[in-house]
Amino acid sequence: MVEEKSKRERQRMAWVVLLGSFTVCMIITIAIPFTANALVQNLTESLAVFVQANQGTVGIDNTTGDRTALLAGEGGLVIAPGERVLTGDNASALIAVNPPKEQDLLARLQVYSNTDLILLEGDTPRFGVSDKENSLSFRLDNGRIRLTVPEFGERPSHIIIASPQSDITIQTPGQYTIIVNNDETQVTVQAGEVMVTAVDGSGLTLIQNQRAVVPTGAPPQGPLETERNLLANGDFSQELNRWTVFPWSVERADQPAGQVRVLDAGDVPRLNIIREGVGHADVLVRQSVNQDVAEIESLRLLVTFRIINQSLEVCGIAGSECPLFVRVNYVDGGGFSNTWQHGFYAVGDPIPGVQPDGCTTCAMVQDTHERVPLGQEYFYDIDLGEEIARQGRSTPQFIESIILVSSGHNFEVEVVDVALLAAD
């Protein structure tokens, strides 16, 4: 009896060991792939959120409150979550968001003057097989930003802009403008789609050419009318469709013309104008507009570009050879045709009588040429009517065309985006 009982206990122990081993084996078999998959899906690394000064001095406050000053043309820095971008009365900034160690652009933020913007989150999956989205979020406490989200590559992005009145969720490529003050948040969709969610939980979806206002403590109001872009294909996403490239004008018969083409840089199309040679050359790229603007409330001109190379200092001896001129042909209130232009350069300092800061041979409405940082993206944004009135001229009643002019000896320019926004 004792021997039989001992035998049964040994059998029971054997079964316990066998079943326990099987259970442990199954747990390991299931847990390791499950844990590995969870790690592959959920491990993240930081996006590169790079800030440059566009104009003036831009402040960067870190999480301990220490401030770094960024000056236009003197490089930039990568910021981390919790760090704040501050612009004053005469300052603006550019923020580019890229995957780590890659050039593909995920988002571009143009930060206007008197803006307070905080990076809350900027993450991307560490492993390419993860099906998670890029995650990017900012808090805009005050001011104005213009956000461009290019076409998604292999991985979509989930972007949130939080304000005191709302959360703005963006999951669609496009262009968006957000303005925040103590009383309200305004959201404008030039292209794309957003969800605007107020603090009380009420929401509103906006699509292209729609706008919403979210007053403090109230639900979103809209969709409302918004600015109309009078230009087509201003981001060159359709190559040179709607743009006309005129023949190159080359001073010396033995010298080459340049090239006008649309290139992809970081999955973002850019109009590239390049010329290498001796002596003067220039080219015009024009879009006909033919729009009546007599009754509009405002007319904003926006250009984002960079000057990569320039051999002539300033804009030449007559101020007529800027690597980039932006011209607007228009009819004024007296029925007369006029041309407004603004020139940009990146090399040299004006010297009266040698390198003037304006075109001395151009019979056009113009201000002094504007120096921009060499090799750095730059955005220019003005109310065109106010600018022309400031120069003592009658404001536009009819827009005929917009022309981009590149000129000089050796030069290379990239134009990222051109827009002419009319608000009724």
Side-chain angles (χ1 to χ4, degrees):
M1 292 293 293
V2 173
E3 184 178 347
E4 185 177 347
K5 182 178 180 181
S6 177
K7 182 179 180 180
R8 286 198 301 270
E9 288 177 351
R10 288 196 300 272
Q11 290 174 341
R12 188 180 297 114
M13 179 62 68
W15 276 108
V16 169
V17 172
L18 178 63
L19 292 173
S21 300
F22 177 78
T23 302
V24 170
C25 180
M26 291 302 296
I27 290 173
I28 293 174
T29 301
I30 295 172
I32 289 178
F34 182 82
T35 302
N37 181 68
L39 291 174
V40 167
Q41 288 293 326
N42 297 314
L43 281 179
T44 62
E45 56 185 333
S46 297
L47 294 170
V49 182
F50 185 71
V51 184
Q52 289 180 300
N54 187 69
Q55 290 178 313
T57 303
V58 175
I60 306 295
D61 286 358
N62 64 21
T63 53
T64 63
D66 294 330
R67 177 165 297 183
T68 300
L70 296 181
L71 302 179
E74 295 189 0
L77 55 81
V78 175
I79 63 172
E83 296 190 318
R84 183 189 301 265
V85 179
L86 294 163
T87 60
D89 291 343
N90 300 306
S92 57
L94 270 168
I95 301 177
V97 182
N98 303 86
K101 302 177 183 178
E102 295 182 29
Q103 295 301 313
D104 293 344
L105 182 69
L106 300 181
R108 179 194 303 110
L109 288 83
Q110 297 174 347
V111 183
Y112 289 77
S113 60
N114 297 308
T115 295
D116 183 349
L117 183 70
I118 303 173
L119 173 64
L120 300 179
E121 181 184 17
D123 293 323
T124 186
R126 181 177 295 273
F127 300 102
V129 295
S130 173
D131 56 11
K132 300 291 186 179
E133 300 171 314
N134 300 311
S135 182
L136 178 67
S137 62
F138 290 88
R139 180 173 179 85
L140 179 61
D141 285 327
N142 185 74
R144 176 186 178 195
I145 63 171
R146 186 172 186 242
L147 172 64
T148 300
V149 181
E151 289 294 330
F152 296 140
E154 297 180 356
R155 191 181 305 283
S157 297
H158 184 271
I159 302 172
I160 295 177
I161 308 295
S163 78
Q165 294 88 10
S166 65
D167 284 345
I168 299 129
T169 304
I170 301 167
Q171 292 181 283
T172 304
Q175 289 187 329
Y176 312 91
T177 299
I178 302 167
I179 303 173
V180 175
N181 58 38
N182 291 333
D183 300 321
E184 64 183 23
T185 293
Q186 290 194 44
V187 183
T188 299
V189 181
Q190 292 167 351
E193 180 178 325
V194 302
M195 168 60 75
V196 181
T197 306
V199 173
D200 65 4
S202 56
L204 176 66
T205 298
L206 299 177
I207 60 174
Q208 182 172 346
N209 295 327
Q210 290 185 342
R211 178 174 63 93
V213 175
V214 188
T216 300
Q221 300 175 1
L224 307 172
E225 291 186 357
T226 187
E227 299 168 322
R228 297 176 289 116
N229 192 351
L230 303 185
L231 297 183
N233 190 32
D235 60 358
F236 305 100
S237 58
Q238 302 171 40
E239 298 285 329
L240 286 166
N241 181 40
R242 302 295 294 271
W243 294 92
T244 301
V245 180
F246 284 73
W248 281 82
S249 173
V250 180
E251 179 183 40
R252 294 177 53 166
D254 63 338
Q255 291 297 307
Q259 288 182 290
V260 179
R261 55 199 174 165
V262 175
L263 301 176
D264 279 348
D267 289 333
V268 178
R270 298 162 183 258
L271 176 67
N272 179 272
I273 306 174
I274 183 171
R275 195 262 179 166
E276 294 182 1
V278 177
H280 173 83
D282 64 63
V283 68
L284 284 69
V285 182
R286 185 187 71 185
Q287 181 171 145
S288 295
V289 179
N290 295 325
Q291 290 283 333
D292 190 323
V293 294
E295 301 300 324
I296 66 166
E297 185 175 321
S298 71
L299 186 65
R300 299 197 68 84
L301 174 65
L302 297 84
V303 186
T304 304
F305 65 94
R306 69 172 177 150
I307 298 174
I308 300 172
N309 179 47
Q310 175 187 354
S311 61
L312 284 179
E313 294 196 354
V314 192
C315 295
I317 59 174
S320 59
E321 297 179 276
C322 290
L324 180 65
F325 284 104
V326 179
R327 292 178 182 166
V328 179
N329 293 326
Y330 67 97
V331 178
D332 65 20
F336 298 102
S337 292
N338 283 288
T339 298
W340 170 92
Q341 78 169 10
H342 196 65
F344 302 92
Y345 66 97
V347 176
D349 296 306
I351 302 173
V354 180
Q355 295 163 182
D357 60 1
C359 180
T360 60
T361 60
C362 302
M364 300 177 185
V365 183
Q366 60 179 329
D367 201 352
T368 55
H369 301 325
E370 184 168 341
R371 182 169 183 171
V372 303
L374 181 67
Q376 176 182 316
E377 278 192 15
Y378 182 87
F379 70 91
Y380 177 71
D381 183 343
I382 59 162
D383 186 304
L384 186 61
E386 289 183 358
E387 180 66 15
I388 291 174
R390 186 183 66 82
Q391 295 173 25
R393 303 299 184 95
S394 176
T395 56
Q397 304 297 298
F398 186 87
I399 301 295
E400 298 175 325
S401 62
I402 280 190
I403 302 175
L404 306 175
V405 183
S406 279
S407 60
H409 293 192
N410 297 329
F411 52 85
E412 184 175 4
V413 175
E414 282 185 348
V415 181
V416 180
D417 180 48
V418 189
L420 187 61
L421 303 179
D424 295 316

